[in-house]
Amino acid sequence: MKDLVIIGLLALIICFKLFDITSDIQLGIPQWHIAQEAMLLVLTVIGAMYLSYDLIRRSREVKALAKRLEHADKKIDNMSTQMRSARQEYSQAVSQQLETWGFTKSEQQVAFLLLKGLSFKEIAEVRQTKEKTVRQQASTIYGKAAVDGRHTFCAWFMEDFIQEHNQDIAANEAASSHKAA
């Protein structure tokens, strides 16, 4: 907006300068004065043209940036949708496994909170129970899952993801060494 005001003022100055030069010529003002004013007029026209060009260029850049930003926002929205969907599928897979192990509803709640990384004290506060009760439930959970503790329990649910990633790494390394040979 500021640029448009400046360009408008320069256009107004150009008009006044043209009027002034025309008047000076009619009044018989010395040639050096008319030449000086004509030079100022030319410089003003060049400045106005440069500002106009720059304004148009920046306007196009802003529009292009706005389009890229809109495209990025759509990607983020799609990714967020994918993440929500993946989280929901993962939660369902965890729930199914907990049911397969025969967890009670209460044990399932504690198991999810363990997987989220809450301490026994925090789980007790969330569930409005005693920490000792949570410890006993966690012990039962570990026994039903046939694991020796919280870390192994959490790792059990991540193992397939990590194993798949490790297989991808191994496959890439094998392909790289095959190309080198």
Side-chain angles (χ1 to χ4, degrees):
M1 183 66 185
K2 179 176 76 172
D3 291 338
L4 289 176
V5 170
I6 292 171
I7 291 170
L9 288 174
L10 287 174
L12 196 58
I13 291 170
I14 290 169
C15 290
F16 283 129
K17 206 59 166 152
L18 278 172
F19 178 74
D20 183 41
I21 291 172
T22 307
S23 297
D24 286 350
I25 291 172
Q26 290 174 353
L27 293 174
I29 301 293
Q31 291 293 335
W32 65 267
H33 181 76
I34 293 173
Q36 180 185 18
E37 287 187 354
M39 184 60 92
L40 287 174
L41 176 65
V42 168
L43 292 174
T44 305
V45 168
I46 291 170
M49 288 172 51
Y50 173 77
L51 283 176
S52 298
Y53 167 78
D54 192 52
L55 178 64
I56 291 168
R57 181 187 56 81
R58 282 190 286 145
S59 177
R60 287 181 183 157
E61 287 175 359
V62 167
K63 285 179 183 176
L65 181 61
K67 283 184 181 181
R68 287 196 311 265
L69 184 59
E70 184 180 332
H71 181 68
D73 284 344
K74 286 180 183 178
K75 274 186 169 180
I76 288 171
D77 286 344
N78 289 340
M79 192 162 311
S80 296
T81 302
Q82 290 172 344
M83 289 301 293
R84 280 192 298 273
S85 176
R87 186 181 299 140
Q88 187 175 19
E89 288 177 32
Y90 183 68
S91 291
Q92 289 172 350
V94 170
S95 291
Q96 288 173 353
Q97 184 58 49
L98 298 181
E99 288 176 15
T100 300
W101 282 330
F103 285 20
T104 65
K105 290 292 179 193
S106 179
E107 290 167 345
Q108 287 181 26
Q109 290 173 349
V110 171
F112 269 106
L113 295 172
L114 287 169
L115 290 171
K116 287 185 175 195
L118 273 69
S119 68
F120 292 139
K121 183 178 181 180
E122 291 169 328
I123 294 171
E125 288 174 6
V126 167
R127 299 197 68 242
Q128 297 179 346
T129 187
K130 295 184 179 190
E131 189 175 339
K132 183 178 179 181
T133 303
V134 173
R135 287 183 185 279
Q136 289 171 340
Q137 287 173 317
S139 184
T140 302
I141 288 168
Y142 304 148
K144 288 181 178 181
V147 296
D148 60 5
R150 175 193 294 245
H151 294 98
T152 312
F153 178 69
C154 292
W156 192 95
F157 288 98
M158 291 302 296
E159 184 176 342
D160 290 336
F161 294 113
I162 295 170
Q163 186 177 19
E164 188 174 300
H165 179 69
N166 285 341
Q167 288 171 349
D168 291 344
I169 292 171
N172 288 338
E173 287 175 359
S176 295
S177 65
H178 185 299
K179 287 180 185 177

